[in-house]
Every structure is written in structure tokens, then in C-alpha cells.
Amino acid sequence: MIPLTISGYSTALFATWYFVEELGLLLDAGDGVSAALLQKARKINHVFISHADRDHLTGLLQLNQLNARPGYPVIYYPRDCTSFPAMEAFSVKFDPHVSGTVWQPLIAPSATYIKDDVVVKAHRNGHVVVAPELMKSFGYTVTQVKQKLKPELLHLPGEDIKRLIQEHGREAVSIEVSQPLLGYSGDTPVEDWGLWDGIPVLIHEATFLESEGAIKEKPTAHKHSTLEQVLEMVANIKLEKLVLGHFSSRYSADVIDNRIRELCKHYGISIPVYRILPGVTQYDILNSYPVNR
Ligand SMILES: [Zn+2]
């Protein structure tokens, strides 16, 4: 499996972005992403934006200005968010030298290859309440797809396999095997538990520590998750590592950490849980210290 070096910043209302170095992948592009990554931002080839709230996209302008080259970066966004065409038009006018960027509307479900063997799938979520045909808010999963020799051919000598490939093509001897790598919730209420089941690393939002915080929001407001809803789900699915982000800045670091520890105990969660505290950029998250250990 590809090892993942993930760095990120995620505070509700202000900015959210996660950079996966080995994949040249940026998930959301909140303010400050270029300033935090410096030269590493040049490694970003593909940007998948979850939705058009400002805290998830205002970093695009500077990212483009510094890094655009022919055909890159490719910026994928939910098809019916009109903010992106508006931003594309502004970006081209404001920085005329930025012409290489590709702005790519996406629907969900969909699958986009970002490397020969790595695919990013878009999944519609309920953060923005709109008619089912409108695409305004996504989560993403990243999967590695490999070709493996068909089990019934494993005993054959190499010469025979070569001959089969020559005669019938590579498809005749191989099957496709998918290895999930990463899930990213975007902003969303906790919905389909099955979507994340079996994914080694899940990055999930947990805007509110208690349900009162969520209830106080207007009913028309965009929908979020509470920490307890996320951890209840995590206790019931199979993950290897959990990254929590998008906390409201109303909570202090101590309050967040204590509540995570309390709920991990309550739900019997023993996998490592990492968190992105409000106002803090965390480099190489999966090699930082899990908060529940
Ligand atoms: Zn947000």
C-alpha cells in the first residue's frame, strides 16, 4: 500500500485543506494552503474541492498564481457550484500569466484517475440541501487499482503466461484488484456509514462537540457532524486511522482533546485518532501523536 504523508489545516468558517504528498493531491483549498506548504505546493497536481463555501476554496487563487503550468493543476469541483466558473474567470483576468490551470466540473458518483493506478471517486453528501439532480457538495474516496494475475493461472510457468498475453491480451490473464487508501468527508452530516467502511484512513469533519452547537444553527444552515456522531459511526465500521478536523473555533484544544478521549473510551475506539486543532497547521498528521493514546 502507498504510505501517505498528509498535512493539513482545518478550522470551521476559516479554512480547510489537506495535502497528500505521495499522490500530489489536495483535498479542498482553504486560505493559507500555499503559505503553509511553501515549495511543496508545487507538487500539487490534482485539487478536489468538496463544496463552494469560502473556507474551502479561497486558497485557489494563490495556488494557481504560483503553480499553474500547462495542464496543471486540475481543479475538480461539484458541477452545479457557480462559484468556480466565476473564480476561473476572475483568476484568468487577474493573473493573465495563469493559463495552464484546468477547471473540471464533476458529478457524483464518478471516478477520476489521478495516476495510472490511483482513482478518486466523488460521493454526493447532504451538507448543502438541494434537489437530487443538483451537484453541490461531495466527499471523496481514493483507491489504488492494481492488475493481478488470475488465481487459476498462478501455477503456470512464465513462458505460458507470456504466450497467453500475446495471444489473448493482458486482460485474459489478469483481474483488477482495488485497495482503498483514503476517505475524505468534506463538510457533511454523518450519513452513510458503509461509504467509509474498510478504508484505512478516514479524514472526517467534526464541527461541533455537542448536539446543542449543531441545533443552535439555523435549520437552513449547511449541515455538519458532531464529534459523537462521527465516533459512534467509527466504532461500528472498520478503519485503521481516523483524522478529525473542521472543529469550530469556539472550542479550546483541551476541551476538544478531552472530549475525544472521553468518547473513544465510551465507544471502545482503539485505532489511532488524530485531530487538527483550530488555528493549527499539522504536518505529517499520521506520524503525529494520536490524541487517544
Ligand atoms: Zn467548512
Side-chain angles (χ1 to χ4, degrees):
M1 209 171 83
I2 307 173
L4 299 180
T5 308
I6 305 173
S7 299
Y9 180 99
S10 183
T11 306
L13 273 185
F14 292 95
T16 286
W17 55 265
Y18 292 95
F19 172 54
V20 188
E21 200 171 323
E22 290 80 0
L23 304 179
L25 171 67
L26 187 69
L27 297 163
D28 279 330
D31 206 13
V33 53
S34 302
L37 291 177
L38 301 173
Q39 296 300 338
K40 277 204 174 165
R42 290 176 184 273
K43 291 188 174 183
I44 296 168
N45 293 328
H46 299 271
V47 184
F48 286 80
I49 307 285
S50 61
H51 64 295
D53 281 351
R54 298 312 185 232
D55 50 325
H56 295 254
L57 59 75
T58 50
L60 285 175
L61 209 59
Q62 176 69 327
L63 186 77
N64 269 330
Q65 197 275 123
L66 290 171
N67 299 318
R69 59 230 187 260
Y72 291 101
V74 189
I75 299 167
Y76 304 88
Y77 59 90
R79 183 191 63 194
D80 299 307
C81 297
T82 53
S83 295
F84 296 97
M87 201 172 189
E88 178 183 6
F90 176 78
S91 170
V92 168
K93 206 171 166 190
F94 190 62
D95 290 317
H97 67 283
V98 175
S99 54
T101 307
V102 179
W103 297 76
Q104 185 65 52
L106 273 190
I107 57 162
S110 64
T112 306
Y113 275 85
I114 58 167
K115 283 177 180 272
D116 287 345
D117 62 344
V118 177
V119 66
V120 177
K121 294 179 185 170
H123 310 271
R124 198 175 191 283
N125 68 36
H127 177 57
V128 184
V129 181
V130 284
E133 68 276 15
L134 289 178
M135 302 287 166
K136 291 225 174 194
S137 183
F138 295 163
Y140 294 104
T141 51
V142 185
T143 305
Q144 188 173 26
V145 183
K146 284 192 208 154
Q147 302 297 326
K148 279 199 172 169
L149 193 63
K150 284 182 179 170
E152 63 268 30
L153 302 178
L154 281 174
H155 67 283
L156 286 185
E159 287 301 306
D160 291 6
I161 307 274
K162 262 191 204 156
R163 189 173 43 76
L164 278 173
I165 294 174
Q166 276 163 6
E167 286 171 13
H168 305 284
R170 193 160 281 281
E171 315 76 60
V173 302
S174 57
I175 46 165
E176 211 173 77
V177 182
S178 289
Q179 163 69 55
L181 297 175
L182 176 69
Y184 174 54
S185 71
D187 284 8
T188 182
V190 170
E191 294 173 321
D192 175 12
W193 292 6
L195 177 58
W196 313 121
D197 198 6
I199 289 185
V201 181
L202 174 62
I203 302 171
H204 205 289
E205 75 122 295
T207 307
F208 301 111
L209 290 197
E210 72 295 291
S211 43
E212 301 91 81
I215 288 162
K216 263 188 228 149
E217 302 294 303
K218 288 183 231 124
T220 51
H222 291 174
K223 306 284 180 270
H224 288 286
S225 305
T226 68
L227 179 64
E228 179 154 15
Q229 290 163 343
V230 178
L231 293 178
E232 186 196 5
M233 170 178 76
V234 167
N236 284 282
I237 61 175
K238 199 175 166 294
L239 301 176
E240 290 170 24
K241 292 171 182 180
L242 173 68
V243 178
L244 296 165
H246 206 268
F247 289 104
S248 163
S249 61
R250 76 188 71 173
Y251 307 118
S252 71
D254 278 356
V255 168
I256 291 171
D257 285 356
N258 288 335
R259 187 67 180 143
I260 294 174
R261 290 188 194 111
E262 198 176 279
L263 286 168
C264 281
K265 217 172 183 184
H266 177 78
Y267 286 104
I269 293 170
S270 54
I271 59 163
V273 176
Y274 309 87
R275 83 297 187 236
I276 311 299
L277 292 170
V280 178
T281 303
Q282 183 68 56
Y283 295 95
D284 198 0
I285 297 164
L286 301 181
N287 279 315
S288 66
Y289 198 72
V291 65
N292 61 333
R293 290 288 159 92

